[in-house]
Amino acid sequence: MSSSTPAHLDLFRYLSAEERGEYVAIMTRFTASLLADMSATTAAEQLARDGVLLDPDVVESRCRQLVRWGNLVPSLRDARVTTVQDYLRARSRYQVSSLGGRVHRSAVEIMEAADGAREVARELLGEIAESLLEVVNIVGLPRSPDRADRLAGIVTTIFNNQRLFTASVTDFYAYLAGVLSRFDLQGAEYAQFKGLLLDYVDLITADVNRHAPLIAHRLTAVSKNLDEILAVLDSVPRLDLGDLAAVERSGGRSRSDWEQLRQWYTGSGQDSGPAQLRAAAGQALGQLLVNAKRMLHPSSTGFSRRADLLRLAGWLNQSGDSEAHRIFAAAFGAWSTRHLSLGPEEPDPRIGPMTSWAASDSIDVPVSLRERGTRAVKGRSARVPDISADRAMVEAAVRVEAARNAEVSAELAAAGQLDGGNLSPHARTVLLDELARLLAATPDPAAPGSIMNHDLGVILHATPGGSTTVTSTDGSLVVHGYQLRFSPVDEIPWEQAQ
């Protein structure tokens, strides 16, 4: 990569700038005629005639930026003006640069190109073969005043035709590959492209197979006289700027140009152009067969739902908001969030289908449900799961909880007056729960009250006034405004309370 490449990349900046519409319009005016030389004011007037209204100061700013990017070059020229302001505006004149004009012409060509197939200039292969024969014949002629110019014209035609042919065939196969890779290709559209592949591609391949050997043979004859051909071409008057600037010469003026042309037709393996064309045709035919298999097996993963999606899009377009939501939910199964119940395999039996997925643990979806959308059992039925281990675990947990409740009940029943007493952290938690229940059930906070816990067999009494301080191993609890105490429920024995 040359050192001038970064500067050349600046030539493309106006195509992606935020004001690219204005830049494109300005560049179009400067490239509309040969060697257009105009000021920003003149450019603004011409743009206004084209329907693009821009202030001359804005055009001046855009032109200066294009100069910095290399798309335009300043062109100073004397101008007859009546005011200093007109002089300043008319003095700054601009012309399109050489590379800037080439970039813009290529960009306009791409923007105006149809998003479709490009016809292959296959007729140029015969012209190349005939032109090569003419080159061989001219070399054998005696020297004459028009011999060099005639040879230069034929050589230029050969290389221009080769460039046009390779560009058109490259664009055609790129388009064909993009079409055949579509999964929605079916029906009449598939039949159309099948005919294109079997007829037109075969026609291209036949032309290449017919003309490529002849072109290769005549290139061999040209290579024998290449030194004389290059000497004749060098005798043609041409542009020579010395060390001032590099000159881009037409094709065929150097030995490397002829070697590359010969390599394209006579290269070994996949290096030659005909071999690449045959490989591209074979790849396109293979992709066509893949599409045919896909359409013959609609249950495969590559089946196209294009027609169904278009019909669904039509329904959604013609329906209201509420109806569109129902159609979308029915088509894609996008129902409200809910938990998928696995029945006996559910880890937590308290979670059901109405439980939100956000409040439940994730589960592993069975393979049959993921792939076939059903939980129907295939093969023999599985054995009933053994729940004895789960039952033993639940029973052990119940026994532990019952023992802890018995300890708390005995502790609270023996505590009596709580002010200044000591309680375990678990008993203090029970005290807070019972106090909350009492305060919530007492209509008059100034009146004494009590509340019974049948499971623990204790009663909490609260007398207004004073305060109650309870100490635990992890801190102290102070209840202001109440004297608290616990008493046992004598009439309900603990064994019955369980």
Side-chain angles (χ1 to χ4, degrees), residues 270-312:
Q270 295 298 323
D271 293 337
S272 67
Q276 294 179 12
L277 293 179
R278 286 190 291 269
Q283 184 178 0
L285 181 60
Q287 186 62 46
L288 183 70
L289 295 177
V290 170
N291 278 316
K293 293 179 181 179
R294 172 183 56 78
M295 289 187 294
L296 292 176
H297 300 280
S299 60
S300 64
T301 56
F303 178 60
S304 173
R305 295 289 183 184
R306 181 173 181 268
D308 298 337
L309 293 175
L310 289 176
R311 188 181 302 109
L312 176 61

Side-chain angles (χ1 to χ4, degrees), residues 48-108:
R49 289 196 296 266
D50 295 339
V52 181
L53 301 179
L54 290 178
D55 187 86
D57 293 336
V58 175
V59 177
E60 178 72 26
S61 176
R62 301 290 182 262
C63 289
R64 290 179 180 177
Q65 182 61 58
L66 289 170
V67 169
R68 287 191 289 269
W69 286 335
N71 303 92
L72 297 180
V73 292
S75 174
L76 301 181
R77 191 179 68 177
D78 293 338
R80 295 181 179 180
V81 294
T82 57
T83 64
V84 175
Q85 184 177 9
D86 292 340
Y87 171 77
L88 293 176
R89 289 184 176 181
R91 185 173 181 270
S92 299
R93 306 180 67 85
Y94 305 93
Q95 288 182 349
V96 66
S97 66
S98 173
L99 294 179
R102 293 174 62 178
V103 168
H104 187 71
R105 286 191 294 270
S106 300
V108 172

Side-chain angles (χ1 to χ4, degrees), residues 17-188:
E18 184 176 355
E19 304 84 3
R20 53 185 172 273
E22 300 175 0
Y23 284 122
V24 169
I26 293 173
M27 288 296 298
T28 301
R29 290 311 314 157
F30 276 97
T31 57
S33 59
L34 185 63
L35 296 179
D37 183 306
M38 66 184 79
S39 64
T41 304
T42 305
E45 294 173 354
Q46 295 188 10
L47 289 172
R49 289 196 296 266
D50 295 339
V52 181
L53 301 179
L54 290 178
D55 187 86
D57 293 336
V58 175
V59 177
E60 178 72 26
S61 176
R62 301 290 182 262
C63 289
R64 290 179 180 177
Q65 182 61 58
L66 289 170
V67 169
R68 287 191 289 269
W69 286 335
N71 303 92
L72 297 180
V73 292
S75 174
L76 301 181
R77 191 179 68 177
D78 293 338
R80 295 181 179 180
V81 294
T82 57
T83 64
V84 175
Q85 184 177 9
D86 292 340
Y87 171 77
L88 293 176
R89 289 184 176 181
R91 185 173 181 270
S92 299
R93 306 180 67 85
Y94 305 93
Q95 288 182 349
V96 66
S97 66
S98 173
L99 294 179
R102 293 174 62 178
V103 168
H104 187 71
R105 286 191 294 270
S106 300
V108 172
E109 181 181 358
I110 293 176
M111 288 186 290
E112 294 178 352
D115 189 14
R118 179 181 180 182
E119 188 175 11
V120 177
R122 57 186 183 83
E123 67 277 359
L124 297 180
L125 292 174
E127 293 295 328
I128 294 174
E130 294 298 327
S131 298
L132 288 172
L133 179 60
E134 195 170 354
V135 168
V136 176
N137 295 333
I138 291 178
V139 172
L141 295 176
R143 295 185 179 182
S144 61
D146 61 340
R147 179 191 179 204
D149 290 338
R150 183 181 175 189
L151 178 62
I154 296 174
V155 170
T156 301
T157 301
I158 291 174
F159 281 88
N160 287 342
N161 288 344
Q162 177 66 21
R163 186 181 302 109
L164 179 58
F165 171 74
T166 54
S168 63
V169 77
T170 301
D171 292 345
F172 171 75
Y173 275 105
Y175 169 76
L176 189 62
V179 171
L180 293 178
S181 62
R182 286 166 43 191
F183 277 103
D184 60 343
L185 190 63
Q186 58 182 355

Side-chain angles (χ1 to χ4, degrees), residues 196-216:
L196 171 67
L197 178 62
L198 297 181
D199 297 336
Y200 193 70
V201 174
D202 183 68
L203 184 62
I204 297 172
T205 306
D207 286 340
V208 172
N209 292 336
R210 183 172 69 254
H211 293 292
L214 180 60
I215 294 175

